[in-house]
Amino acid sequence: MRNWHLLMSGVVMLSVATTAIASGQDQLPGHAQGAEILQVNTRQDQIDNIGDLVYHQVKSVRSVRQLHMSLLVPRTNDLKPAIIYFPGGGFLSAERDKFIAMRLALAEAGFVVAAAEYRTIPDIFPAPVVDAKAAVRFLRQHASEYGIDPARIGVLGDSAGGWLAQMMGSTNGDKSFDKGDFTDQSSDVQAVATLYGISDLRSIGEGFPDAIQKVHQSPAVTEALLINGAAFREFAGASVTDEPEKALYASPVGHLKGVKPPFLIMHGSSDTLVSPEQSANLYNTLKKAGNRADYVLIEGAEHGDYRWYQPEVITRVTHWFRQVLGEPAKSKSQSAADPDASL
């Protein structure tokens, strides 16, 4: 009997509490009978997408070509590190809208994330490097507008974009590629992440079958076109092996003397387009010189297959950049103080 009274007492108390909660919800502005009440905790910052910024103009006799980047900007008062993503495309295209999951993850981690196009074939080296350097200088010039810490800028690229990211890190301090606007700003970068990238244009097919080796000896292969240009008038075209010194200068491994920024090097063990030896050789050279380099070989991964879009890869890249570039720093940046500034 006593237990029955205790049970009934508990039922009455629960009923009263439920009625109190219900009556409190009834007083919410906009309440309607049958509405679902959802409480949301704010633990994720708003991220603004700023598209089609012109970061560089390439002027010729009869035209001006505008190069664009897009930005993902966490709307916070923090002073944020920045990362520029350079897309791959076999030196033939630079479609910057790829890897959106990776870029969003980096933005959610507190980075300002740019995605930049660059000149490709038929433009020849050093055009892509000139463009990439301009992208870094642009971010430094406008750092206060987007809450960027100009002392912490990293680069990320896949395939040919990985080659470009590597060129950026390996040519720190070399001002010969700085052309265009804002040349008073440094184009040096503080971190490099490269996914199945090209480190040596002379040996992209290293270890591959003879038929593939023959392709890379052709004057028509894309790395030869990048270095030497297409056949025209009296020029019959040239292969990479025709001028190996020129190919070396256009390769990251040709610029590895001296201190380099930290590198995260990732490659797939089953890559049949860019030899995994490219990344292994880059890693070994950097380590031998005393530089920081982290090497991740993804078992069974092909060149740009779906493994590269999985959470394990995205998390590895994000954590590495946070470790190397550091966390966003608390600061009253102009863009965060005014929610509408530059947005």
Side-chain angles (χ1 to χ4, degrees), residues 181-204:
D181 296 329
F182 315 126
T183 51
D184 57 324
Q185 297 286 351
S186 171
S187 59
D188 287 358
V189 298
Q190 285 66 57
V192 177
T194 170
L195 313 180
Y196 44 93
I198 300 162
S199 63
D200 192 338
L201 294 171
R202 302 170 302 174
S203 56
I204 294 176

Side-chain angles (χ1 to χ4, degrees), residues 86-88 90-91 118-120 123-130 132 155-171 177 192-202 204 223 226-227 247-255 263 274 278 282:
F86 298 111
F91 303 117
Y118 54 89
R119 280 176 286 172
T120 57
D123 290 290
I124 63 173
F125 178 85
V129 180
V130 169
V155 288
L156 164 68
D158 62 302
S159 193
W163 165 83
L164 188 51
Q166 293 175 31
M167 285 295 294
M168 292 297 292
S170 62
T171 59
F177 298 105
V192 177
T194 170
L195 313 180
Y196 44 93
I198 300 162
S199 63
D200 192 338
L201 294 171
R202 302 170 302 174
I204 294 176
E223 63 264 30
L226 174 72
I227 299 167
L248 179 61
Y249 183 70
S251 300
V253 296
H255 303 269
F263 272 67
V274 174
Q278 290 271 309
L282 174 65

Side-chain angles (χ1 to χ4, degrees), residues 80-157:
K80 298 170 278 290
I83 297 168
I84 305 177
Y85 166 65
F86 298 111
F91 303 117
L92 293 168
S93 67
E95 298 175 355
R96 69 186 191 277
D97 289 330
K98 299 193 306 179
F99 272 108
I100 183 61
M102 175 84 76
R103 292 187 285 122
L104 277 173
L106 288 165
E108 289 170 354
F111 296 95
V112 172
V113 183
E117 65 176 339
Y118 54 89
R119 280 176 286 172
T120 57
I121 295 168
D123 290 290
I124 63 173
F125 178 85
V129 180
V130 169
D131 299 341
K133 297 273 186 181
V136 174
R137 297 196 311 272
F138 177 89
L139 286 191
R140 284 204 166 96
Q141 178 70 23
H142 299 280
S144 62
E145 298 176 38
Y146 305 113
I148 294 172
D149 183 349
R152 296 185 289 162
I153 296 180
V155 288
L156 164 68

Side-chain angles (χ1 to χ4, degrees), residues 1-310:
M1 183 66 71
R2 182 172 181 274
N3 288 341
W4 183 83
H5 284 295
L6 288 173
L7 177 61
M8 291 304 296
S9 176
V11 171
V12 171
M13 292 177 63
L14 178 61
S15 177
V16 171
T18 303
T19 302
I21 294 174
S23 63
Q25 292 175 342
D26 287 346
Q27 304 305 312
L28 290 174
H31 181 270
Q33 186 65 34
E36 178 184 356
I37 309 300
L38 177 65
Q39 295 182 341
V40 177
N41 296 319
T42 55
R43 53 187 177 273
Q44 178 64 53
D45 296 317
Q46 177 178 335
I47 297 173
D48 295 299
N49 177 42
I50 307 172
D52 289 329
L53 287 169
V54 176
Y55 78 85
H56 184 45
Q57 294 190 99
V58 182
K59 299 178 181 180
S60 62
V61 175
R62 290 180 298 274
S63 67
V64 176
R65 177 179 175 183
Q66 296 180 332
L67 296 178
H68 300 85
M69 68 166 57
S70 58
L71 290 180
L72 297 175
V73 183
R75 191 177 291 194
T76 70
N77 290 327
D78 298 341
L79 195 59
K80 298 170 278 290
I83 297 168
I84 305 177
Y85 166 65
F86 298 111
F91 303 117
L92 293 168
S93 67
E95 298 175 355
R96 69 186 191 277
D97 289 330
K98 299 193 306 179
F99 272 108
I100 183 61
M102 175 84 76
R103 292 187 285 122
L104 277 173
L106 288 165
E108 289 170 354
F111 296 95
V112 172
V113 183
E117 65 176 339
Y118 54 89
R119 280 176 286 172
T120 57
I121 295 168
D123 290 290
I124 63 173
F125 178 85
V129 180
V130 169
D131 299 341
K133 297 273 186 181
V136 174
R137 297 196 311 272
F138 177 89
L139 286 191
R140 284 204 166 96
Q141 178 70 23
H142 299 280
S144 62
E145 298 176 38
Y146 305 113
I148 294 172
D149 183 349
R152 296 185 289 162
I153 296 180
V155 288
L156 164 68
D158 62 302
S159 193
W163 165 83
L164 188 51
Q166 293 175 31
M167 285 295 294
M168 292 297 292
S170 62
T171 59
N172 269 4
D174 184 349
K175 295 188 177 298
S176 64
F177 298 105
D178 282 307
K179 305 180 188 302
D181 296 329
F182 315 126
T183 51
D184 57 324
Q185 297 286 351
S186 171
S187 59
D188 287 358
V189 298
Q190 285 66 57
V192 177
T194 170
L195 313 180
Y196 44 93
I198 300 162
S199 63
D200 192 338
L201 294 171
R202 302 170 302 174
S203 56
I204 294 176
E206 182 178 354
F208 288 168
D210 290 343
I212 302 299
Q213 300 287 359
K214 188 174 181 179
V215 170
H216 288 288
Q217 294 166 7
S218 168
V221 75
T222 56
E223 63 264 30
L225 294 174
L226 174 72
I227 299 167
N228 302 311
F232 186 69
R233 292 188 183 273
E234 292 81 18
F235 176 59
S239 71
V240 170
T241 55
D242 285 339
E243 295 187 69
E245 298 84 5
K246 193 174 180 181
L248 179 61
Y249 183 70
S251 300
V253 296
H255 303 269
L256 291 183
K257 292 181 179 179
V259 178
K260 302 304 172 187
F263 272 67
L264 172 63
I265 304 164
M266 304 182 75
H267 217 112
S269 66
S270 297
D271 197 320
T272 59
L273 192 59
V274 174
S275 172
E277 296 302 319
Q278 290 271 309
S279 288
N281 293 337
L282 174 65
Y283 170 72
N284 289 330
T285 303
L286 288 168
K287 292 289 287 185
K288 186 177 181 180
N291 296 296
R292 172 173 176 176
D294 299 287
Y295 184 31
V296 179
L297 187 63
I298 299 183
E299 185 176 359
E302 241 287 15
H303 194 87
D305 70 10
Y306 285 125
R307 290 174 178 85
W308 294 101
Y309 297 85
Q310 302 312 308

